[in-house]
Amino acid sequence: LFCCSDNYIGGSLPKTITKLKKLRDLQLGDNFLVSSLPSDLGRMTDLRILTLNGNSLFGEIPNGLYNLKKLSALRLDDTLMREDPWLAVPNEGINGSISTFIGGLQDLEYLYLNNNPISGTIPTELGLCEKLKTLLLHRTNIEGEMPDKICPLRDKSLSSVYSDCRPYNGTAVPFIKCDCCSDCCDHSTGVCIADD
């Protein structure tokens, strides 16, 4: 267990942290880290909880992350820090897209990717994560439709699904068409309204 959330930790995430192969819980949320994710993150095979939210993260989700088969909670949300003075990276936020390899994280219960410039579509393989309880994908650049394989999870343990499924700025087409979201958000205003 390494829990140092909200402790004013600055600098970057050391690449050597991936040598902690037996670490199960890494919580560094709400600090002042300015970093990309280590490419060999997948070496931390016992990791169950990874929370790096509320930092100035940038770059893509490395494919190695999808090797963390025991992962139950992944928080990479709120990495857009435009209004915060400690931001030192012009291309802030987690970008790229969600890999189809996400379906291999079958113990995943909490996936928070909101408030990031991540783009692409939601992979159908996410529906293989049948233990999901919370899925937050709002305030991103993800477009398309919520895959049919995810909606049936609402009848299981998936209680919260947030996406940009409200009409953009009240007039345009929403970013995501979703028939099973618990809350639909407007990408431009950030306002989310319960849709259950």
Side-chain angles (χ1 to χ4, degrees):
L1 171 66
F2 186 77
C3 183
C4 286
S5 294
D6 202 14
N7 271 294
Y8 301 96
I9 297 171
S12 63
L13 192 60
K15 298 197 183 315
T16 54
I17 200 161
T18 62
K19 292 182 178 181
L20 301 174
K21 295 178 184 178
K22 297 294 182 188
L23 189 66
R24 293 183 178 186
D25 191 339
L26 177 58
Q27 296 185 38
L28 289 169
D30 297 315
N31 279 298
F32 297 98
L33 295 171
V34 178
S35 184
S36 61
L37 297 173
S39 59
D40 56 352
L41 197 59
R43 294 174 56 192
M44 302 175 77
T45 53
D46 275 350
L47 203 59
R48 287 165 174 77
I49 297 172
L50 177 60
T51 60
L52 296 171
N53 55 295
N55 286 292
S56 294
L57 298 180
F58 58 91
E60 296 185 12
I61 297 172
N63 280 335
L65 183 136
Y66 302 108
N67 293 332
L68 303 176
K69 304 299 183 194
K70 297 177 182 177
L71 201 62
S72 65
L74 176 60
R75 292 202 58 187
L76 300 177
D77 52 304
D78 296 321
T79 63
L80 293 176
M81 302 291 183
R82 287 191 180 105
E83 287 130 27
D84 296 317
W86 61 83
L87 178 67
V89 179
N91 296 325
E92 62 187 340
I94 299 293
N95 57 40
S97 60
I98 304 169
S99 170
T100 57
F101 296 131
I102 191 97
L105 302 180
Q106 295 188 5
D107 285 339
L108 196 60
E109 296 179 22
Y110 303 95
L111 178 60
Y112 294 58
L113 296 175
N114 52 298
N115 293 323
N116 274 303
I118 197 164
S119 59
T121 59
I122 302 166
T124 301
E125 291 80 1
L126 187 57
L128 298 172
C129 301
E130 295 186 359
K131 295 179 181 178
L132 266 179
K133 295 179 181 177
T134 303
L135 175 61
L136 303 184
L137 300 174
H138 59 293
R139 304 286 317 264
T140 65
N141 294 323
I142 295 173
E143 298 184 84
E145 293 187 25
M146 186 65 67
D148 291 338
K149 289 194 173 194
I150 293 174
C151 289
L153 300 180
R154 289 295 313 274
D155 295 330
K156 296 181 179 179
S157 58
L158 185 57
S159 59
S160 296
V161 181
Y162 284 59
S163 76
D164 292 327
C165 50
R166 292 196 63 70
Y168 184 71
N169 205 15
T171 58
V173 176
F175 273 49
I176 296 177
K177 181 182 181 302
C178 182
D179 296 328
C180 61
C181 286
S182 61
D183 293 77
C184 283
C185 306
D186 181 325
H187 181 82
S188 63
T189 63
V191 173
C192 298
I193 298 175
D195 202 40
D196 267 344

